[in-house]
């Protein structure tokens, strides 16, 4: 049974990815490590705890992570995710994060279960970069590592050059991309292949608790702005690729990440044949089928 740890800045698409992991058959979610990004770190932490509580999974540990990038401050994406970050009011969580830090938790889990942990990073890469700085060689102990981030050789979404997660902490992105660790990178070019239209989203229903909550988050996101015609999928693709690698094809590359200046967070292919499996084609039909299956999404 895959043991998965999700490093996240919840976030609408983060929340859906977390619910997918909880709903996927035979997957043990071993922890959520939180990082600032989409929303301030304290809010992200609250969202992670509230989400788990709401679906009856407060047994999953939640860990405090970085509230600042390696340098400077995080950007915010509340214009996209809403002030709360998850578009759905949830009761105050009854649980607290574990006292350990994300970095110590990740290092301990990876050391205890070498080759067994599927690590999925769907926020700025600060926690992972700090992990490698404090406990070198930790990332190499993961069974696999899937990351949502970057807009390789293509336009960004937060600046003309950079994708949000890489932009939030370009130095961390640079360090993780150059750690020499095999990883799958789902960048914006891959994410731009998958979207859910407003009409389709508003017609979906689910009878399962996780699927229902995921749908409410999606549908409220559309209702928050009448101009929103479609929702791109980001973190959901990285999560699906981690659990079911056949949902996309990849090519091996080495990447260069701009760490400062006007193009901070931009990423380019530096050479072919590196340790990074960069997503190429997403099998949209298979991805949607997986999501529908795990979350019990059905057309009305
Ligand atoms: C990424 O940025 C965040 O806003 C999303 O949660 C996703 O991880 C997309 O650029
Ligand atoms: Ca995210």
């Amino acid at each position: 049974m895959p043991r998965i740890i999700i490093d996240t800045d919840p976030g609408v698409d983060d929340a859906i990815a977390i619910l997918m992991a909880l709903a996927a058959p035979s997957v043990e979610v071993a922890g959520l490590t939180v990082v600032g990004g989409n929303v301030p770190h304290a809010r992200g932490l609250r969202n992670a705890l509230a989400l788990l509580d709401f679906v009856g999974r407060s047994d999953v540990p939640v860990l405090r992570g970085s509230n600042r990038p390696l340098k400077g401050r995080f950007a915010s994406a509340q214009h996209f995710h809403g002030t709360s970050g998850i578009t759905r009011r949830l009761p105050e969580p009854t649980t607290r994060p574990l006292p350990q830090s994300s970095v110590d938790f990740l290092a301990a889990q990876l050391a205890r279960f070498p080759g067994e942990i599927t690590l999925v990073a769907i926020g700025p890469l600060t926690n992972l970069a700090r992990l490698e700085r404090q406990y070198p060689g930790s990332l190499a102990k993961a069974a696999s590592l899937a990351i949502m981030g970057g807009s390789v050789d293509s336009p960004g979404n937060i600046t003309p050059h950079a994708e949000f997660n890489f932009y939030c902490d370009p130095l961390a992105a640079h360090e993780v991309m150059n750690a020499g660790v095999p990883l799958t990178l789902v960048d914006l070019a891959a994410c731009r292949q998958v979207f859910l239209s407003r009409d389709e989203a508003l017609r979906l229903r689910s009878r399962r608790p996780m699927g229902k909550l995921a749908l409410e988050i999606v549908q409220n996101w559309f209702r928050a702005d009448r101009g929103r015609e479609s929702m791109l999928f980001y973190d959901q693709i990285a999560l699906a690729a981690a659990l079911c690698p056949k949902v996309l094809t990849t090519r091996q590359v080495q990447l260069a990440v701009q760490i400062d200046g006007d193009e901070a967070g931009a990423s380019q292919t530096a050479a072919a044949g590196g340790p990074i499996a960069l997503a190429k084609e997403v099998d949209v039909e298979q991805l949607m089928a997986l999501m529908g299956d795990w979350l019990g999404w059905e057309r009305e």
Side-chain angles (χ1 to χ4, degrees):
M1 166 155 34
R3 288 173 68 80
I4 181 169
I5 298 179
I6 306 176
D7 188 66
T8 172
D9 59 338
V12 164
D13 56 327
D14 299 74
I16 300 165
I18 293 167
L19 291 166
M20 284 168 66
L22 293 170
S26 311
V27 172
E28 182 193 344
V29 182
L32 303 182
T33 56
V34 175
V35 61
N38 284 326
V39 287
H41 176 264
R43 184 75 216 180
L45 203 55
R46 190 255 177 216
N47 288 348
L49 292 164
L51 203 66
L52 292 171
D53 227 14
F54 190 74
V55 297
R57 289 302 312 272
S58 48
D59 57 297
V60 174
V62 173
L63 290 299
R64 280 193 188 85
S66 309
N67 61 7
R68 280 168 184 264
L70 298 180
K71 273 190 187 166
R73 302 180 83 85
F74 286 129
S76 150
Q78 281 164 304
H79 56 281
F80 180 88
H81 299 267
T83 317
S84 79
I86 45 175
T87 72
R88 165 71 160 83
R89 241 175 236 268
L90 294 176
E92 275 306 310
T94 56
T95 47
R96 311 264 313 143
L98 291 192
Q100 259 175 318
S101 73
S102 285
V103 166
D104 290 345
F105 174 81
L106 285 165
Q109 289 286 312
L110 289 161
R112 184 164 167 212
F113 303 105
E116 287 182 35
I117 291 179
T118 300
L119 191 53
V120 184
I122 53 179
L125 289 168
T126 320
N127 288 341
L128 265 51
R130 290 210 161 108
L131 171 70
E132 252 337 86
R133 283 181 176 197
Q134 286 178 37
Y135 300 94
S138 289
L139 287 176
K141 294 185 192 146
S144 66
L145 170 57
I147 293 175
M148 191 282 128
S151 48
V152 182
D153 304 321
S154 61
N157 57 359
I158 180 87
T159 72
H161 308 283
E163 179 278 332
F164 182 80
N165 289 339
F166 274 26
Y167 177 79
C168 273
D169 196 338
L171 182 57
H174 162 78
E175 290 184 11
V176 173
M177 292 305 128
N178 287 287
V181 176
L183 61 92
T184 299
L185 185 70
V186 176
D187 80 330
L188 276 188
C191 297
R192 287 181 172 126
Q193 299 170 35
V194 191
F195 62 88
L196 188 61
S197 75
R198 182 184 195 94
D199 288 351
E200 182 72 11
L202 296 179
R203 252 189 266 146
L204 291 171
R205 294 289 173 268
S206 175
R207 281 187 223 126
R208 303 195 199 146
M210 321 242 179
K212 207 163 171 278
L213 178 56
L215 263 185
E216 284 169 354
I217 292 172
V218 171
Q219 292 171 345
N220 288 352
W221 181 84
F222 278 106
R223 291 188 185 114
D225 182 343
R226 291 169 67 185
R228 288 175 173 160
E229 281 310 319
S230 60
M231 176 188 245
L232 279 181
F233 284 179
Y234 303 106
D235 299 343
Q236 301 94 323
I237 306 176
L239 190 280
L243 294 179
C244 182
K246 282 192 309 196
V247 296
L248 39 84
T249 60
T250 58
R251 64 190 165 95
Q252 296 301 130
V253 296
Q254 276 174 46
L255 284 190
V257 181
Q258 300 287 327
I259 57 174
D260 47 28
D262 290 348
E263 300 190 5
S267 47
Q268 287 95 27
T269 312
I276 300 172
L278 176 65
K280 230 166 43 174
E281 299 287 329
V282 180
D283 183 335
V284 180
E285 215 169 292
Q286 204 190 339
L287 178 88
M288 298 307 274
L290 267 186
M291 280 186 74
D293 196 25
W294 295 346
L295 295 169
W297 285 2
E298 287 166 357
R299 271 217 198 127
E300 204 176 37

